[in-house]
Amino acid sequence: MSSLERRTGIALWRQIADDIRAAIGNGAYEDTGKLPTEAALATQFGVNRHTVRAALAALARDGMIDTTQGRGSFVVARKRLSYPIGPRTRFSAGLEGQVARTRSRALESRIEPASAPVAEALHLAPEAPVLRLDMLGEADDTPLSRATHWFEASRFAHLPDHYRAFGSITRALAACGVEDYVRLFTDITAAPASAADRQDLDLQPGAVVLLTLSVNGEVGGGPVQYSRSRFSADRVTLSVRMPGGL
Amino acid sequence: MSSLERRTGIALWRQIADDIRAAIGNGAYEDTGKLPTEAALATQFGVNRHTVRAALAALARDGMIDTTQGRGSFVVARKRLSYPIGPRTRFSAGLEGQVARTRSRALESRIEPASAPVAEALHLAPEAPVLRLDMLGEADDTPLSRATHWFEASRFAHLPDHYRAFGSITRALAACGVEDYVRLFTDITAAPASAADRQDLDLQPGAVVLLTLSVNGEVGGGPVQYSRSRFSADRVTLSVRMPGGL
DNA sequence: CTTATTTGTCTAGTTCTATAGACAACCAAC
DNA sequence: GTTGGTTGTCTATAGAACTAGACAAATAAG
């Protein structure tokens, strides 16, 4: 039935954990919130009970379920933060009401030659100098996203200073003469978290990150900002609201 | 440096493979396309050369790299299909020009009582009868997405028949009196592929799926369609174009 | 209180993962 | 052709993951 595979580099207990996680997400145990017994899961997955226990232990560590002896395992409701992807998304504004406190921290900024995709997105010559800004987005002291932004170097040379002063990219851009800017497009995909992601976002191996690639620009003007972000898929959903539709 | 962790249910070689995959995605080896030698990677990751070889073998199986004896390993450029998420996205239309042939196939359709989220999204009473339609989206015979759609049962009872006749949900809806419908919103997250995903989308353990949850409705009307889709993250990026912006 | 059910813990044996080292096969450059 | 660098293959060993079975401990229901 639930064909698990061996020799894939993913331990059986983790495949089972992923499966149960997906089932919870599909609302499988919605009525009572109770998972099948360990014995039942073991036969369902065609696996030893100890292997199921390892999977359940992992889910319990992640706070997905709560297990007590003699009773069973129960789903713990947990919501992901909803991160809006709209024409005018701002990091902090979009998360308001969902968390007590948001913070975005600049990790590093430097000038570097534009790589091919950066140059193309910003309409610059290849290898043209660009300002690179690495940032970490946090909500209630939990890291949510790791983003790298690129800007044309000459026009935005003092952006990091303004950012330090204001604590907001939007305001720092305004100080550089960008009155109003909008998100032009966003490409979204996903991948297993790399070691770097795990360090930055405090994730465990096997975690998944949402990868977004977006370009922001001035209204009626050209592109201003090229960004690559990595979100912890455990913690956020990207929410695309259609401005036209309703 | 690249802190790999043990006893996590993810074999070291797979963590390394994920890491190299991410590095390729970040354009790390863009200049020559050549990866470091196995020996170099082994020291970089603090691991035995055989472990690195297992990682490279996995990447080669996935078509990410090409390895030849005496030369080394080289990145194979491979593009993901871009799946547009806009107000008026249609499965086949959005992929035109990227692949030779797209196909969407109905797997199953049945009437069932609405679960809580379905009822809420479609503005129906809980447990109200809804039509559930399971579909598989393919491009050039490769499965791309697995979607489940829900519609109000009474109004769209004959939708499956119309779909069989026209081969398109848009046209089938038109036959049910829905003149023009638009995407109202889409929530996007990601997770490891479950066993069911692996079967439906022909994926390997450790693969990642993009999960979308969307509601479509009539222009100036209420919600009509509630959908949950699962995309192979290896094969697609979701592309959000802002209609207002530019 | 008694009983059936369910989770927790222990031991032992097997299979997979990772390390270590050695050497062959192949490629590119001289 | 020779050399240096790189990937391919083999053997052996240690440790982690998985299986199997048994029994204790906690819960819930009668």
Side-chain angles (χ1 to χ4, degrees):
Chain A
M1 184 67 186
S2 309
S3 59
L4 303 182
E5 294 175 38
R6 290 156 197 258
R7 306 185 197 215
T8 58
I10 312 285
L12 289 184
W13 64 263
R14 187 167 265 279
Q15 296 185 47
I16 293 169
D18 292 342
D19 220 59
I20 296 175
R21 212 188 243 102
I24 291 173
N26 287 339
Y29 313 115
E30 244 172 13
D31 43 352
T32 64
K34 183 175 189 302
L35 266 61
T37 67
E38 295 175 352
L41 289 170
T43 57
Q44 176 188 326
F45 287 104
V47 105
N48 192 276
R49 186 176 144 233
H50 292 96
T51 309
V52 168
R53 282 179 60 72
L56 294 178
L59 291 172
R61 269 200 306 277
D62 293 355
M64 294 277 306
I65 65 171
D66 194 45
T67 301
T68 57
Q69 187 172 149
R71 284 192 359 118
S73 295
F74 295 83
V75 177
V76 175
R78 212 188 32 158
K79 273 195 286 190
R80 286 187 240 237
L81 292 177
S82 179
Y83 185 87
I85 301 268
R88 285 168 203 285
T89 299
R90 308 290 178 258
F91 179 75
S92 52
L95 297 177
E96 255 169 35
Q98 300 186 69
V99 294
R101 199 159 27 80
T102 62
R103 191 168 56 150
S104 71
R105 215 146 41 90
L107 300 177
E108 193 188 355
S109 72
R110 65 160 181 271
I111 307 286
E112 65 181 21
S115 67
V118 171
E120 191 190 339
L122 294 181
H123 297 173
L124 300 175
E127 308 288 318
V130 287
L131 170 68
R132 169 186 170 148
L133 191 57
D134 281 290
M135 309 207 23
L136 188 68
E138 292 173 314
D140 292 343
D141 295 321
T142 304
L144 280 192
S145 66
R146 173 76 169 71
T148 305
H149 308 285
W150 285 271
F151 306 86
E152 191 200 339
S154 55
R155 183 171 176 197
F156 299 104
H158 296 91
L159 192 77
D161 305 328
H162 293 137
Y163 176 78
R164 264 187 290 278
F166 296 121
S168 149
I169 285 194
T170 309
R171 286 211 236 162
L173 280 170
C176 292
V178 177
E179 285 303 320
D180 193 12
Y181 80 132
V182 294
R183 190 182 284 260
L184 298 179
F185 73 84
T186 304
D187 279 357
I188 303 169
T189 187
S194 69
D197 295 331
R198 296 202 297 272
Q199 273 202 335
D200 294 334
L201 299 175
D202 191 21
L203 300 174
Q204 297 188 342
V208 170
V209 290
L210 281 160
L211 304 169
T212 73
L213 189 157
S214 60
V215 174
N216 290 8
E218 292 177 281
V219 284
V224 163
Q225 172 184 356
Y226 175 86
S227 307
R228 282 192 198 156
S229 304
R230 310 171 82 83
F231 294 85
S232 161
D234 267 1
R235 298 174 194 148
V236 304
T237 65
L238 305 178
S239 180
V240 181
R241 313 250 149 211
M242 295 303 157
L246 198 69
Chain B
M1 186 69 185
S2 310
S3 60
L4 302 182
E5 294 175 38
R6 291 157 197 259
R7 304 184 197 220
T8 58
I10 312 284
L12 288 184
W13 63 262
R14 187 167 266 280
Q15 296 184 47
I16 292 169
D18 292 342
D19 220 57
I20 296 175
R21 210 187 246 105
I24 291 173
N26 287 339
Y29 314 115
E30 245 171 12
D31 43 352
T32 63
K34 184 174 188 302
L35 266 61
T37 67
E38 295 175 353
L41 288 169
T43 57
Q44 176 187 327
F45 287 104
V47 107
N48 191 275
R49 185 177 145 232
H50 292 96
T51 310
V52 167
R53 282 179 58 73
L56 295 178
L59 292 172
R61 270 200 305 277
D62 293 355
M64 294 277 307
I65 64 171
D66 195 44
T67 301
T68 56
Q69 186 171 151
R71 284 193 355 121
S73 295
F74 295 82
V75 177
V76 175
R78 213 186 31 156
K79 272 194 287 190
R80 284 187 241 238
L81 291 177
S82 179
Y83 184 87
I85 301 269
R88 282 167 205 287
T89 299
R90 308 289 177 260
F91 179 76
S92 52
L95 298 176
E96 254 168 36
Q98 300 186 71
V99 293
R101 196 159 31 79
T102 63
R103 190 167 57 147
S104 71
R105 212 146 43 88
L107 300 178
E108 192 187 356
S109 72
R110 65 161 181 272
I111 306 288
E112 65 181 22
S115 67
V118 171
E120 191 190 338
L122 295 181
H123 296 172
L124 300 175
E127 309 288 318
V130 287
L131 170 68
R132 169 187 170 146
L133 192 56
D134 281 288
M135 308 206 26
L136 188 68
E138 293 173 314
D140 293 342
D141 294 322
T142 304
L144 280 191
S145 67
R146 172 76 170 69
T148 305
H149 308 285
W150 286 270
F151 306 88
E152 190 199 341
S154 55
R155 182 171 176 197
F156 299 104
H158 296 91
L159 193 78
D161 305 327
H162 293 136
Y163 176 78
R164 264 186 290 278
F166 296 121
S168 149
I169 285 195
T170 310
R171 286 211 237 161
L173 280 172
C176 290
V178 177
E179 285 304 319
D180 193 11
Y181 80 129
V182 293
R183 191 181 285 261
L184 298 179
F185 74 84
T186 303
D187 280 357
I188 303 169
T189 187
S194 68
D197 294 331
R198 296 203 297 270
Q199 273 202 336
D200 295 333
L201 299 175
D202 192 22
L203 300 174
Q204 296 187 343
V208 170
V209 291
L210 281 161
L211 304 170
T212 74
L213 189 158
S214 60
V215 174
N216 290 7
E218 291 176 280
V219 285
V224 163
Q225 173 184 357
Y226 174 86
S227 306
R228 281 191 198 155
S229 303
R230 310 172 82 82
F231 295 84
S232 162
D234 267 1
R235 299 175 193 146
V236 305
T237 65
L238 304 178
S239 180
V240 182
R241 314 252 147 210
M242 294 302 156
L246 201 70

